[in-house]
């Protein structure tokens, strides 16, 4: 079986300090041209997710909204469909964040559990012509618990899709809570080494997981930059606060998982002050992060601290924008 690519929170390369809020759009080099949310609409998805105390379909809606909010501000084709039974909530067309959000809200989250058999293989096979029409490269993001109690084999259907559909990857947001469902999802993921499988509960509760998933599906070179959201500095300061240190503790664990990589710490300031002063201040900020990571077991020989001076990535005319510009980023080389 080909290598499975599971997104585990301990191995994400994009970190965030906010847990419950919807992630902001990420920035990236575009990897795909089109995507489609495909939602398992069978009776088992109306059953409860015990951890989140919601039905699986209600969690799926929440997760889709979070993913939609984090998709990069670039041009994509997008759509939203259901399987078992099949339906079109939003036809493939130019993706718009607001239009997609409205479509997601139209998904029903209250229907009978009984009498809605799961024909996942049959349902997905009927989308062959639709899949052929998607612009390449394309991503199918499947929300399912993996159960398939009627009709043709689910995994074999996916295998046939891959044999006829080039430059298409099927990613899975998993709600699996039965041995059969888990086995089906693992088997599907094993058919394509680029497929991403992530637990729905993780996406429902962690911005870090959402951002990592979006980077992996929508973006090229997803594993090069560690964005330390929350490791920002007060005005004219290079001191790390408690929140920043907590984020750096997590960052250190991620860095340790990549012992062959050199780490470049890039420090930035906002636009206030002279260029010369900000060059020195940004260097102090990068050096401050390097020193702290050193206390967490990252060898100094693996790290370079570089002050890049003023940043204009965010709006320096606002307090929030200036705060976001006063940051340090980690680059893996």
């Amino acid at each position: 079986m080909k290598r499975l690519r599971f997104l585990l929170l301990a191995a994400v390369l994009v970190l965030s300090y906010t847990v419950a809020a919807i992630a902001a759009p990420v920035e990236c080099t575009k990897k795909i041209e089109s995507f489609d949310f495909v939602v398992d609409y069978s009776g088992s998805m109306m059953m409860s997710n015990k951890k989140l105390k919601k039905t699986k379909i209600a969690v799926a809606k929440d997760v889709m909204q979070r993913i939609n909010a984090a998709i990069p501000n670039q041009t994509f084709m997008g759509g939203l469909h259901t399987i078992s039974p099949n339906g079109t909530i939003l036809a493939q067309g130019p993706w718009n964040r607001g239009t997609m959000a409205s479509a997601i809200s139209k998904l029903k989250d209250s229907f009978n559990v009984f009498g809605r058999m799961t024909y996942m293989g049959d349902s997905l096979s009927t989308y062959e012509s639709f899949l052929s029409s998607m612009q390449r490269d394309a991503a199918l993001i499947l929300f399912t618990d993996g159960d398939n109690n009627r009709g043709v084999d689910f995994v074999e259907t996916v295998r046939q899709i891959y044999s006829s559909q080039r430059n298409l990857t099927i990613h899975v947001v998993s709600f699996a809570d039965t041995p059969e469902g888990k086995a089906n999802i693992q088997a599907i993921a094993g058919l394509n080494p680029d497929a991403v499988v992530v637990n729905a509960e993780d996406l429902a509760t962690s911005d870090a997981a959402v951002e990592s998933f979006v980077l992996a599906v929508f973006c090229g070179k997803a594993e090069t930059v560690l964005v330390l959201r929350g490791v920002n500095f007060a005005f004219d300061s290079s001191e790390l606060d408690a929140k920043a240190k907590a984020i750096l503790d997590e960052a250190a664990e991620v860095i340790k998982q990549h012992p062959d990589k050199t780490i470049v710490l890039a420090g930035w300031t906002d636009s206030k002050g002279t260029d010369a002063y900000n060059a020195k201040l940004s260097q102090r900020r990068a050096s401050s992060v390097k020193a702290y990571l050193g206390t967490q077991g990252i060898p100094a020989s693996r790290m370079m601290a570089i002050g890049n001076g003023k940043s204009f990535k965010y709006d320096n005319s606002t307090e929030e924008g200036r705060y976001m510009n006063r940051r340090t980023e980690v680059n893996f080389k």
Side-chain angles (χ1 to χ4, degrees), residues 7-9 19-21 45 47-64 66-67 143-145 172-178 182 185 197-210 213:
L7 291 184
L8 301 177
L9 289 183
V19 175
M45 288 292 287
M47 294 181 179
S48 178
N49 177 287
K50 296 180 181 178
K51 180 177 180 180
L52 299 179
K53 296 181 171 44
K54 292 183 179 181
T55 61
K56 297 176 191 175
I57 193 67
V59 175
K61 290 176 66 174
D62 291 345
V63 169
M64 270 182 278
R66 291 170 64 83
I67 293 172
F143 296 75
T144 182
D145 58 14
V172 182
V173 176
S174 174
F175 294 81
D177 54 7
T178 66
K182 293 176 182 178
I185 288 174
V197 176
V198 62
N199 290 327
E201 293 173 352
D202 292 341
L203 295 180
T205 57
S206 169
D207 276 359
V210 172
F213 179 76

Side-chain angles (χ1 to χ4, degrees), residues 25-255:
V26 300
E27 297 183 9
C28 70
T29 301
K30 190 164 72 168
K31 180 179 181 180
I32 60 173
E33 295 298 325
S34 66
F35 72 96
D36 207 271
F37 291 134
V38 178
V39 186
D40 179 352
Y41 232 27
S42 62
S44 62
M45 288 292 287
M46 190 56 206
M47 294 181 179
S48 178
N49 177 287
K50 296 180 181 178
K51 180 177 180 180
L52 299 179
K53 296 181 171 44
K54 292 183 179 181
T55 61
K56 297 176 191 175
I57 193 67
V59 175
K61 290 176 66 174
D62 291 345
V63 169
M64 270 182 278
Q65 294 287 17
R66 291 170 64 83
I67 293 172
N68 183 55
I71 293 173
N73 291 317
Q74 299 195 38
T75 57
F76 298 99
M77 300 294 285
L80 172 57
H81 292 78
T82 65
I83 52 175
S84 197
N86 288 20
T88 300
I89 307 299
L90 180 65
Q92 271 282 309
W95 169 74
N96 174 275
R97 201 181 310 278
T99 301
M100 179 62 79
S102 178
I104 294 169
S105 68
K106 293 177 183 178
L107 284 166
K108 296 179 180 179
D109 53 16
S110 59
F111 46 77
N112 292 328
V113 175
F114 301 103
R116 295 176 71 97
M117 295 295 102
T118 308
Y119 295 85
M120 293 293 289
D122 295 77
S123 293
L124 199 55
S125 65
T126 63
Y127 276 139
E128 276 271 20
S129 59
F130 157 67
L131 296 176
S132 297
S133 70
M134 292 180 69
Q135 292 186 11
R136 293 321 196 245
D137 289 346
L140 203 67
I141 303 174
L142 179 61
F143 296 75
T144 182
D145 58 14
D147 285 344
N148 185 62
N149 52 30
R150 292 289 189 278
V152 301
D153 183 78
F154 185 19
V155 178
E156 184 58 33
T157 297
V158 175
R159 191 189 311 275
Q160 292 174 6
I161 288 174
Y162 275 134
S163 68
S164 63
Q165 302 290 334
R166 301 300 179 187
N167 301 318
L168 169 74
T169 303
I170 299 176
H171 307 287
V172 182
V173 176
S174 174
F175 294 81
D177 54 7
T178 66
E180 179 196 9
K182 293 176 182 178
N184 280 337
I185 288 174
Q186 288 182 357
I188 290 169
L191 298 175
N192 188 328
D194 293 326
V196 175
V197 176
V198 62
N199 290 327
E201 293 173 352
D202 292 341
L203 295 180
T205 57
S206 169
D207 276 359
V210 172
E211 194 167 357
S212 183
F213 179 76
V214 169
L215 282 168
V217 172
F218 290 84
C219 306
K221 299 180 180 179
E223 298 182 349
T224 58
V225 179
L226 195 63
V227 181
L228 303 175
R229 298 193 185 281
V231 182
N232 301 87
F233 298 87
F235 178 69
D236 197 26
S237 172
S238 59
E239 294 295 322
L240 295 168
D241 60 19
K243 180 175 67 176
K245 290 178 180 179
I247 295 166
L248 289 174
D249 289 344
E250 188 176 355
E253 294 304 311
V254 175
I255 293 171

